[in-house]
Amino acid sequence: MKQNKITIAIDGLSSTGKSTIAKQLARKLGYIYVDTGAMYRAITYFALQKGYIKDPHIDEKDLIQDLEKIDIQFVFNKDLGFGEVHLNGHNVEQHIRSMEVSAMVSPISAIGEVRKKLVALQQKMGKDKGVVMDGRDIGTVVFPNAELKLFLTASAKARATRRYKELLDKGESVSYEAVLENVQKRDHLDSTRSISPLKQAKDAVPIDNSDMGLEEQFERILSLVKRKLKA
Ligand code: DC
């Protein structure tokens, strides 16, 4: 598909398959894919490694002081077809999806300085358009002028079941109840925080995929993209 490049912003609740559809679209359109959740997760992993998190306490001051030392980049993996997140030169993909990181990423992402650093980086990554970016505030804060905004939702049970399977496949031993609790807790924290809370942009297209197959969802969203590219 060779057309004008647009910006596609995908926001929504946790575990709604934002990254799956974002990767499908990026591959189809030849766009860059940016997983902004991975960036917040990488900073959370950094804070855990440094001992700045003693659940529930976070040494915000120390973390904020260290922010300038944190380098986050996506390095394209040819075999996977998308970029993997690197923290200070190291691939941290295997570490950032653990339950330990998931449990602390919401409070870390509520810190204003953390958001300021990552939003600026995300805007830089998407400045030339031709980008599919997923997160919580992409259509509202990072790219309020994105040509296409999607807002994904699904029932908490459907989302916890998906995430639970993913974690089991990775060999993590975890209970379904713990995953459901984490999903619900993060929804609450992400939607009620004072800075850039998760909310649907006025001009976003809502998609509830509780009972929608991946193929059906892809076709539906691709037709929205095609309409925008023609506009
Ligand atoms: O998409 P994810 O579940 O990997 O995101 C992890 C957390 O990061 C999520 O609970 C909230 C936070 N996040 C955010 O605050 N803003 C974004 N743009 C992306 C993620």
Side-chain angles (χ1 to χ4, degrees), residues 116-199:
K116 200 169 153 205
K117 175 185 173 89
L118 293 186
V119 168
L121 196 54
Q122 290 152 12
Q123 288 172 334
K124 204 168 150 196
M125 289 174 173
K127 72 177 176 12
D128 297 326
K129 295 186 184 271
V131 66
V132 187
M133 197 172 281
D134 78 12
R136 302 293 188 290
D137 59 343
I138 313 305
T140 50
V141 176
V142 182
F143 289 115
N145 297 323
E147 287 83 358
L148 180 62
K149 298 181 188 177
L150 304 170
F151 193 82
L152 267 53
T153 58
S155 69
K157 280 187 179 166
R159 293 183 287 124
T161 304
R162 290 173 197 162
R163 182 52 63 106
Y164 177 60
K165 280 190 190 142
E166 262 171 40
L167 288 167
L168 286 190
D169 285 348
K170 280 188 193 153
E172 197 161 327
S173 86
V174 62
S175 73
Y176 168 78
E177 288 70 27
V179 176
L180 178 63
E181 194 188 322
N182 175 258
V183 161
Q184 288 171 322
K185 197 167 160 196
R186 280 202 290 138
D187 288 348
H188 176 71
L189 292 172
D190 297 345
S191 314
T192 54
R193 67 175 175 229
S194 56
I195 313 164
S196 308
L198 167 70
K199 64 170 192 269

Side-chain angles (χ1 to χ4, degrees), residues 10-16 18-19 33 35-41 44 96-97 101-102 104-110 115 118-119 122 133-138 142 163 182-183 186-187 189-190 193 195-198:
I10 306 181
D11 290 304
L13 298 167
S14 54
S15 305
T16 41
K18 296 184 294 294
S19 66
Y33 163 55
D35 173 357
T36 64
M39 300 167 82
Y40 289 95
R41 285 173 180 273
T44 305
I96 61 168
R97 320 264 169 205
V101 170
S102 295
M104 293 312 297
V105 65
S106 283
I108 292 290
S109 62
R115 302 205 72 81
L118 293 186
V119 168
Q122 290 152 12
M133 197 172 281
D134 78 12
R136 302 293 188 290
D137 59 343
I138 313 305
V142 182
R163 182 52 63 106
N182 175 258
V183 161
R186 280 202 290 138
D187 288 348
L189 292 172
D190 297 345
R193 67 175 175 229
I195 313 164
S196 308
L198 167 70

Side-chain angles (χ1 to χ4, degrees), residues 15-164:
S15 305
T16 41
K18 296 184 294 294
S19 66
T20 303
I21 183 67
K23 282 178 201 158
Q24 285 176 315
L25 288 175
R27 205 171 297 131
K28 176 84 180 171
L29 301 163
Y31 280 17
I32 295 167
Y33 163 55
V34 180
D35 173 357
T36 64
M39 300 167 82
Y40 289 95
R41 285 173 180 273
I43 292 196
T44 305
Y45 179 65
F46 174 90
L48 281 165
Q49 294 288 93
K50 283 279 197 172
Y52 294 160
I53 301 178
K54 293 148 199 124
D55 191 11
H57 180 74
I58 297 171
D59 291 333
E60 273 191 35
K61 221 173 124 211
D62 291 336
L63 176 60
I64 291 166
Q65 252 173 18
D66 269 5
L67 280 178
E68 61 181 356
K69 292 188 215 151
I70 299 181
D71 175 60
I72 293 181
Q73 293 190 25
F74 286 93
V75 178
F76 192 74
N77 178 324
K78 259 197 287 164
D79 296 331
L80 296 173
F82 56 87
E84 293 186 298
V85 73
H86 285 227
L87 170 69
N88 292 338
H90 298 282
N91 184 334
V92 288
E93 281 289 335
Q94 292 309 314
H95 304 289
I96 61 168
R97 320 264 169 205
S98 67
M99 280 296 279
E100 194 190 12
V101 170
S102 295
M104 293 312 297
V105 65
S106 283
I108 292 290
S109 62
I111 300 171
E113 286 81 355
V114 169
R115 302 205 72 81
K116 200 169 153 205
K117 175 185 173 89
L118 293 186
V119 168
L121 196 54
Q122 290 152 12
Q123 288 172 334
K124 204 168 150 196
M125 289 174 173
K127 72 177 176 12
D128 297 326
K129 295 186 184 271
V131 66
V132 187
M133 197 172 281
D134 78 12
R136 302 293 188 290
D137 59 343
I138 313 305
T140 50
V141 176
V142 182
F143 289 115
N145 297 323
E147 287 83 358
L148 180 62
K149 298 181 188 177
L150 304 170
F151 193 82
L152 267 53
T153 58
S155 69
K157 280 187 179 166
R159 293 183 287 124
T161 304
R162 290 173 197 162
R163 182 52 63 106
Y164 177 60

